[in-house]
Amino acid sequence: MKRLMIVPMVLMLFFVTQLEALATISNTPNHWGFNKGKNEQPAQAGAKLDEMMKKHGAIYKGSSAKKNIYLTFDNGYENGYTANILNILRRQHVPATFFVTGHYLKTTPELAVRMVREGHIVGNHSWSHPDMTSKTDEAIRNELQKVKEETERITGQKTMNYLRPPRGIFSERTMAIANQEGYTHIFWSLAFKDWIVDQQKGANYSYSEVMKQIHPGAILLLHTVSKDNAEALDSIITDLKKQGYTFKSLDDLMIEQQIKNPMLY
């Protein structure tokens, strides 16, 4: 009987140790931000955020030595443009990652199905889009688990590896919890104020913002609620290809990171 008790006791000690470790980690909120790229020079988040990225295996850009770029969208709710965005991606043979919320999955499951069917990645943007630093450890895990389970139920996608923290707010604690749940944080190195639906400025604005900030290794963040983005996307992709850029998926980026840092993964 004593031998049979060893495994449960070891597991209990492991989980207690994990909880104690989390309790000592800072929960000070950080708001993602960076100095924008220009003239094809990469965006820079600064030493403090770079160190946090390295510590938790998070990514906000790829190698500046290759003209690869990574297209990502945040999908909090549907505003009528995602179907056309998917049409453009299919026609242009461009992969993307869509970070979805629970609301998006509940209200437009057919679009989530189409994303997966057409070869895109569905990532986790939390169930209710909260400030994760205000949530308990259990609540954070629940936010992530519900999105993962609902995505699998709807689309058949069995794995979910990438997380974009809602509102761009995170802490050492929230990153550590997500790491324990198997997630890599994906931030971004190119973005602009595109999500306010009653303050759209036209397709030329979206196009010019992307072109001004583009750099090798860029992770682009676009919001699918933006009329400007939907109207500019085809031209953005076409002209970036003409400039020698290649659109890659986040899975490609992770393979590149593993080759670069084989001991980290």
Side-chain angles (χ1 to χ4, degrees):
M1 291 295 293
K2 288 183 178 180
R3 290 183 179 178
L4 294 176
M5 291 296 293
I6 291 175
V7 172
M9 287 178 66
V10 169
L11 289 173
M12 184 181 298
L13 287 171
F14 172 79
F15 286 118
V16 168
T17 302
Q18 292 293 305
L19 290 172
E20 289 176 348
L22 284 173
T24 64
I25 296 177
S26 171
N27 193 44
T28 301
N30 294 273
H31 296 254
W32 181 248
F34 51 87
N35 292 322
K36 294 181 178 180
K38 60 181 179 180
N39 299 321
E40 293 194 291
Q41 295 302 304
Q44 300 293 339
K48 177 185 174 181
L49 289 177
D50 280 345
E51 183 59 31
M52 287 186 70
M53 299 298 103
K54 182 178 180 181
K55 180 178 179 180
H56 295 283
I59 299 173
Y60 73 97
K61 60 183 178 181
S63 171
S64 61
K66 301 177 182 179
K67 295 190 79 169
N68 294 331
I69 48 181
Y70 310 90
L71 185 57
T72 71
F73 296 91
D74 282 3
N75 292 67
Y77 66 96
E78 179 54 36
N79 197 32
Y81 303 117
T82 304
N84 188 49
I85 286 171
L86 286 166
N87 291 342
I88 293 167
L89 296 177
R90 181 173 58 191
R91 184 169 65 250
Q92 291 273 14
H93 303 288
V94 167
T97 299
F98 294 86
F99 289 95
V100 301
T101 62
H103 179 274
Y104 196 89
L105 292 170
K106 286 294 188 182
T107 56
T108 53
E110 69 283 356
L111 289 173
V113 169
R114 185 177 169 189
M115 291 167 189
V116 173
R117 185 176 67 234
E118 296 183 3
H120 304 295
I121 297 169
V122 175
N124 204 320
H125 201 35
S126 80
W127 187 258
S128 61
H129 205 262
D131 171 357
M132 291 289 212
T133 65
S134 69
K135 297 295 183 180
T136 65
D137 296 2
E138 182 181 1
I140 292 171
R141 297 181 199 280
N142 188 50
E143 285 276 339
L144 301 180
Q145 188 63 27
K146 287 174 69 176
V147 172
K148 181 179 180 179
E149 289 178 351
E150 187 67 4
T151 299
E152 181 177 356
R153 187 187 72 80
I154 292 169
T155 71
Q157 177 183 282
K158 296 186 180 300
T159 61
M160 186 167 276
N161 301 317
Y162 307 120
L163 167 65
R164 176 156 287 156
R167 311 185 192 189
I169 302 174
F170 58 100
S171 69
E172 293 273 5
R173 180 182 71 93
T174 64
M175 294 184 82
I177 293 169
N179 286 161
Q180 290 179 359
E181 295 299 307
Y183 287 95
T184 296
H185 278 73
I186 303 294
F187 291 89
W188 58 93
S189 63
L190 193 162
F192 52 95
K193 199 172 183 178
D194 63 347
W195 62 89
I196 304 177
V197 296
D198 60 354
Q199 294 182 21
Q200 297 293 290
K201 301 178 181 180
N204 286 340
Y205 173 75
S206 178
Y207 176 90
S208 65
E209 283 295 319
V210 171
M211 294 303 172
K212 282 191 300 185
Q213 297 183 52
I214 197 64
H215 61 85
I219 296 179
L220 285 68
L221 163 58
L222 299 175
H223 288 82
T224 57
V225 296
S226 167
K227 182 174 183 286
D228 293 352
N229 289 342
E231 293 180 349
L233 184 61
D234 197 46
S235 295
I236 288 170
I237 292 172
T238 296
D239 289 352
L240 287 176
K241 286 180 176 179
K242 288 179 180 178
Q243 291 183 21
Y245 284 97
T246 300
F247 287 85
K248 297 278 192 174
S249 76
L250 289 183
D251 285 346
D252 294 322
L253 178 56
M254 292 304 298
I255 291 171
E256 179 183 303
Q257 292 289 318
Q258 290 174 27
I259 293 172
K260 179 182 177 182
N261 303 299
M263 297 302 292
L264 294 181
Y265 298 91

